Amino acid sequence: FMIKNIFKIVVRNLWKYKGYTLVNILGLGMGLAAIVWGFQNYRFSFSFDDFHPDKDNVYRVVTKKDGSDIPQGIFPMAAVQSAKSEFPGIAEAVRFDGAGLNIKAGKDETFADEVHFTDQAFFKVFNFPLVSGNNDINDRSAVLITEDAVKKYFGNENPLGKTLLFYAGQPHAKPLTVKGVLKDPPSNSTIRFHFITNFENLTKPDGTTIASNDWKWFVGGAFFKIPNPADAKQLGEKLKKYLPLQNKAREDWKAKGFQVLTLKENADLSDRLGANEFFQRPEDSAAYGPIVLAFLLLLSACLNFSNTTVARASQKLKEIGMRKVMGGTQRQLMIQLLMECGFIVFLAILLSALLNMWWLPAFNKMFGYIDVQANYFHDNTLLFFLLSTLLATTLLAGAYPAFYITRFN
């Protein structure tokens, strides 16, 4: 009953001082919209490849080139499967390579697109869900395509069972049948693709096949699933046994060693790897800059809120005195003043959600590689962040009048 009466007083006071209420809701609303934008942008920037269930057991191996301090993203193709058979700690090994090809669907025009070639173990290591069909690429006549590629090549038609001509216009053109449709890789994935097919379908520029023991050929990515972290730490040293073979085959491109990276390290170093065919996460400046700017905007709004609240509190001294004479307690007055501030902050949070319904899509359109979202109802981390912001902002603005001025007799 007491809280109900205090709430009525809070609403009446805020309605009475409409200018104070409106100014602070607008100011805090913009500040809170900015801090949510900065916070979600930060989370997106450092969430790359987190959606893989086995992310802690998956490693990428890159090559250290002789005469260079910059690790190279490529890796000797022949060493991938050899390492799996020779080192017991490796559960799965995946070759991943891409090539720009001409692709033709039926009698339609020919498109220049990138196709990726990999092993069946790719789907045991990474989480790229199927929409329809199956993801069996052991069949060399099969190709898997993403939803985006379906729209481009088949429109609204069902692509399953239809044929695409790869290497179109060349003597070694290869027809492949669409056996499965995959979800588009999420925006926070370093691995992006439109087409996935068996690694054996990859050919050299002259159309000749690549032998499995060809030490001249480098793949764009080599991944290993290693359940025991201790085995992963030793892998770099163990792989050195392949250096003589590789350097003999490529005297023009000699390696001096290999470096084992976790998926997180791979994403963090994506802009500092040479010959890196994988997608780069936003730079640190793009991750930290918005959240620093947003914090300054919110701090400015909070200071304005605090100043106006303190200024208005001095006008409430007579009310406080009368309430106490009529039997009111300091605790009741503290609750009232804090509820006034908290109610304004709550309304500002609702306004910030409306502002971000426009701002976040507009921000994403500025950069094609960013997908910052704010799901207020299903994101527990964001809800906890907003609750913390609500409490902190309420105390920042209401602490002085609530805990000091209410002591007035």
Side-chain angles (χ1 to χ4, degrees):
F1 182 75
M2 181 191 73
I3 296 296
K4 181 179 178 181
N5 285 336
I6 291 176
F7 182 75
K8 287 181 179 179
I9 295 171
V10 167
V11 173
R12 287 170 184 168
N13 281 338
L14 294 179
W15 182 253
K16 180 180 179 181
Y17 298 98
K18 300 182 186 67
Y20 158 83
T21 304
L22 183 61
V23 166
N24 284 305
I25 289 175
L26 290 175
L28 285 171
M30 289 186 281
L32 288 166
I35 200 68
V36 168
W37 159 63
F39 181 65
Q40 293 299 91
N41 178 71
Y42 172 87
R43 290 177 66 197
F44 171 81
S45 298
F46 292 101
S47 69
F48 270 62
D49 294 334
D50 281 352
F51 59 92
H52 298 298
D54 290 326
K55 63 181 184 295
D56 295 328
N57 298 323
V58 179
Y59 301 85
R60 181 186 181 187
V61 181
V62 297
T63 307
K64 297 178 181 178
K65 185 180 181 182
D66 191 22
S68 173
D69 294 329
I70 301 174
Q72 306 296 308
I74 56 179
F75 186 80
M77 180 204 66
V80 180
Q81 298 300 330
S82 295
K84 183 180 184 299
S85 61
E86 295 180 21
F87 305 141
I90 298 176
E92 300 290 349
V94 175
R95 300 169 295 179
F96 192 83
D97 210 353
L101 308 180
N102 290 327
I103 304 174
K104 189 174 184 180
K107 297 181 180 179
D108 296 335
E109 63 179 307
T110 300
F111 294 95
D113 217 324
E114 187 170 16
V115 179
H116 286 90
F117 306 83
T118 189
D119 304 297
Q120 184 62 43
F122 177 81
F123 296 103
K124 297 180 182 179
V125 174
F126 299 108
N127 177 32
F128 293 104
L130 219 97
V131 176
S132 60
N134 65 74
N135 60 5
D136 181 12
I137 55 172
N138 283 323
D139 179 2
R140 287 189 59 182
S141 67
V143 64
L144 310 179
I145 66 177
T146 63
E147 294 171 303
D148 189 53
V150 170
K151 294 176 184 177
K152 179 177 179 179
Y153 287 86
F154 300 103
N156 296 322
E157 297 180 17
N158 182 4
L160 296 180
K162 295 190 175 178
T163 301
L164 289 170
L165 184 65
F166 291 78
Y167 302 99
Q170 299 184 47
H172 54 281
K174 187 185 299 289
L176 298 178
T177 303
V178 178
K179 295 292 183 70
V181 177
L182 300 169
K183 282 189 175 182
D184 293 325
S187 298
N188 60 343
S189 175
T190 57
I191 301 175
R192 305 284 184 89
F193 54 84
H194 290 127
F195 301 89
I196 291 283
T197 187
N198 190 292
F199 191 85
E200 305 304 323
N201 289 328
L202 176 62
T203 64
K204 295 179 180 179
D206 60 1
T208 57
T209 57
I210 304 169
S212 59
N213 62 347
D214 187 347
W215 286 92
K216 291 183 178 181
W217 192 268
F218 287 89
V219 290
F223 296 93
F224 298 93
K225 182 177 178 180
I226 308 174
N228 186 355
D231 292 332
K233 291 181 180 179
Q234 300 172 9
L235 183 60
E237 287 297 318
K238 290 181 178 180
L239 290 172
K240 286 184 177 179
K241 65 175 290 185
Y242 299 125
L243 287 176
L245 286 170
Q246 191 277 318
N247 290 337
K248 182 179 179 181
R250 289 292 302 271
E251 294 185 354
D252 61 319
W253 205 103
K254 291 189 175 182
K256 61 181 179 181
F258 303 100
Q259 183 177 350
V260 180
L261 303 175
T262 63
L263 284 186
K264 184 180 186 309
E265 290 171 336
N266 177 56
D268 290 342
L269 294 174
S270 57
D271 60 337
R272 283 165 277 177
L273 288 176
N276 185 27
E277 296 183 5
F278 293 90
F279 198 80
Q280 299 179 8
R281 73 161 177 80
E283 296 181 0
D284 288 352
S285 58
Y288 290 109
I291 199 168
V292 171
L293 174 62
F295 175 76
L296 293 175
L297 288 172
L298 179 60
L299 181 62
S300 176
C302 287
L303 291 175
N304 180 70
F305 184 28
S306 179
N307 287 335
T308 54
T309 302
V310 170
R312 196 171 71 89
S314 62
Q315 302 173 11
K316 300 172 71 69
L317 291 177
K318 189 178 293 185
E319 176 190 340
I320 291 171
M322 288 297 294
R323 291 277 299 279
K324 286 192 173 183
V325 168
M326 298 297 290
T329 65
Q330 182 182 1
R331 178 172 173 271
Q332 292 173 332
L333 293 167
M334 287 171 55
I335 293 173
Q336 175 191 328
L337 294 177
L338 287 174
M339 282 184 65
E340 285 185 13
C341 293
F343 193 59
I344 287 177
V345 177
F346 176 73
L347 293 176
I349 288 176
L350 296 181
L351 176 61
S352 73
L354 293 175
L355 291 173
N356 276 333
M357 289 176 64
W358 162 78
W359 167 238
L360 293 183
F363 175 71
N364 292 335
K365 286 182 180 178
M366 296 179 192
F367 310 95
Y369 53 86
I370 285 180
D371 185 23
V372 179
Q373 304 289 338
N375 192 334
Y376 290 88
F377 297 104
H378 299 95
D379 190 337
N380 293 332
T381 302
L382 178 58
L383 287 175
F384 178 77
F385 176 76
L386 285 173
L387 178 61
S388 302
T389 304
L390 170 66
L391 295 174
T393 307
T394 299
L395 289 174
L396 178 63
Y400 174 74
F403 300 120
Y404 181 75
I405 293 182
T406 55
R407 295 164 58 187
F408 173 73
N409 291 314

